[in-house]
Amino acid sequence: MSATAVPSSAAEPKAVASPPKTGFAQQPGYLFGPWMDFFCLGGATLLIIPWFALLPTDWKAYGDVLIITTAVAHFINNPHFAHSYHLFYRDFGKRGFNAEYPREWRVRYLIAGVAVPLLLIGFFLWCLVTRNARALGFSVNLMFFTVGWHYVKQGYGMLMLDSVLKRRFFNEREKKVLLWNAYVVWFLSWLLANAIAYKADYWGISYYTFATPQPILTAIEVIAGLSSAAVLLMLGLKWRATRQVPPFNGLVAYTVALYLWLLYRDPVLTLIFPAMHSIQYMVVVWRYELNVQQDRSTDAKLPTMTFGLRMALFYAIAMGLGYLGFWMGPQWLAKVFPTMLEGVGSGAFLLAAWIFINVHHYFLDSVVWRKGNPETGKYLFR
């Protein structure tokens, strides 16, 4: 969820709403059910890695997997980004300008929804107008920086979400241990990614990394090990004090997000992990939207088919927005403004679009799923 997310952090609801009177009611303690929550929140990753390790070597061709994952992206990865736009800008006028909406949240919506995209667009226009391919290349590193942050915050948020659903809460000190461990592991993953190569290509445009002295890298690795040990110690002490098993699905989500999606360095599996991250995000979005539409359908006394069509339309909009943002839009810009690509690279608009969406997604999620959002608790917890 942003390179954040509950997906960055879940709020403890003040009151649990009555479950909707439809066939899609939320099971107590789960988003959907124990097995679906397990697989979607991260369990699928735990199954894919050993399965992949057993495959014959000639089945692991990077190019073949890249083709498959690019196709899958149209149905999973890209819609997961588009969902954040749909949820954020739906009723944006009320959230950003209606005085009845809390002032703090109006400011947050206006910053993430207006100021941030204008700044990003301004930066990319400056890169293209000044033919500054190097600055555009460095922005790829910014994208990876925020994506890693997004992964760990989403993993942390899933754990908080599951703890609320299970009514097995973490106190503030325990949350800090979990959160700071997430930060350290994320920072380590970014440093390791930068250590792989000083210069690489993304859509035909060179991007640059930052060299990290080995002593600093070793120090961060030690800190990450200690912070991970602190998490294990905290969980052990918590179990000893309460004799309650911590929210299992949430712990799986937290673990795979930090240690597998970011630190597992298999070049082929790194193509698959974004889909796992997107599924983790979408299972929360779909529960949220199901509850929203169930309330609207119940209030309007609409037939079940209309409810089903609404959910189908919700996904269809995400498919369309995803294709528009990642492919059709930048390709159209390249045809209309070909001279802006001179001295930068033919893939500049594609690169700018991908970076824009990834970075902006982080800011959108930091508002939509932020603790205290007036609508998150209302529709996510039943």
Side-chain angles (χ1 to χ4, degrees), residues 12 156 169-178 371:
E12 297 180 10
Y156 169 79
F169 303 109
F170 293 92
N171 62 39
E172 291 304 314
R173 180 177 297 179
E174 293 165 344
K175 289 178 183 178
K176 287 181 180 179
V177 172
L178 292 163
K371 181 179 179 180

Side-chain angles (χ1 to χ4, degrees), residues 127-325:
C127 290
L128 293 172
V129 170
T130 61
R131 308 288 193 265
N132 196 331
R134 190 173 182 85
L136 190 60
F138 273 119
S139 67
V140 176
N141 210 319
L142 170 64
M143 177 181 71
F144 292 142
F145 184 85
T146 58
V147 165
W149 181 287
H150 175 56
Y151 274 33
V152 301
K153 288 298 292 292
Q154 180 167 301
Y156 169 79
M158 293 297 169
L159 177 53
M160 295 300 103
L161 169 63
D162 200 32
S163 73
V164 174
L165 293 172
K166 301 290 193 304
R167 318 304 293 176
R168 296 178 183 176
F169 303 109
F170 293 92
N171 62 39
E172 291 304 314
R173 180 177 297 179
E174 293 165 344
K175 289 178 183 178
K176 287 181 180 179
V177 172
L178 292 163
L179 192 56
W180 282 105
N181 178 59
Y183 290 153
V184 173
V185 172
W186 153 72
F187 190 59
L188 173 62
S189 74
W190 182 68
L191 292 180
L192 290 172
N194 275 266
I196 293 174
Y198 170 70
K199 180 180 177 182
D201 289 335
Y202 201 89
W203 285 118
I205 296 174
S206 297
Y207 77 88
Y208 301 87
T209 59
F210 304 93
T212 303
Q214 187 59 46
I216 295 178
L217 186 60
T218 301
I220 299 300
E221 289 174 338
V222 171
I223 294 172
L226 292 174
S227 67
S228 298
V231 168
L232 291 175
L233 177 61
M234 178 273 290
L235 292 174
L237 293 174
K238 186 175 183 65
W239 177 83
R240 183 178 179 182
T242 64
R243 295 298 176 178
Q244 286 187 331
V245 177
F248 180 74
N249 291 332
L251 284 176
V252 169
Y254 179 84
T255 302
V256 299
L258 270 64
Y259 300 104
L260 297 182
W261 297 345
L262 289 184
L263 296 181
Y264 199 85
R265 291 291 161 181
D266 186 283
V268 177
L269 283 173
T270 55
L271 298 174
I272 299 173
F273 289 158
M276 300 292 99
H277 161 81
S278 299
I279 290 171
Q280 185 187 76
Y281 182 91
M282 290 175 74
V283 73
V284 177
V285 171
W286 274 75
R287 169 44 61 198
Y288 177 91
E289 186 64 16
L290 280 165
N291 289 343
V292 169
Q293 294 300 338
Q294 285 172 24
D295 279 3
R296 292 182 177 181
S297 297
T298 302
D299 292 342
K301 297 182 180 180
L302 297 173
T304 303
M305 182 176 292
T306 302
F307 168 78
L309 289 175
R310 286 183 177 186
M311 293 305 301
L313 179 62
F314 180 70
Y315 179 68
I317 289 173
M319 286 277 291
L321 288 176
Y323 182 72
L324 176 66

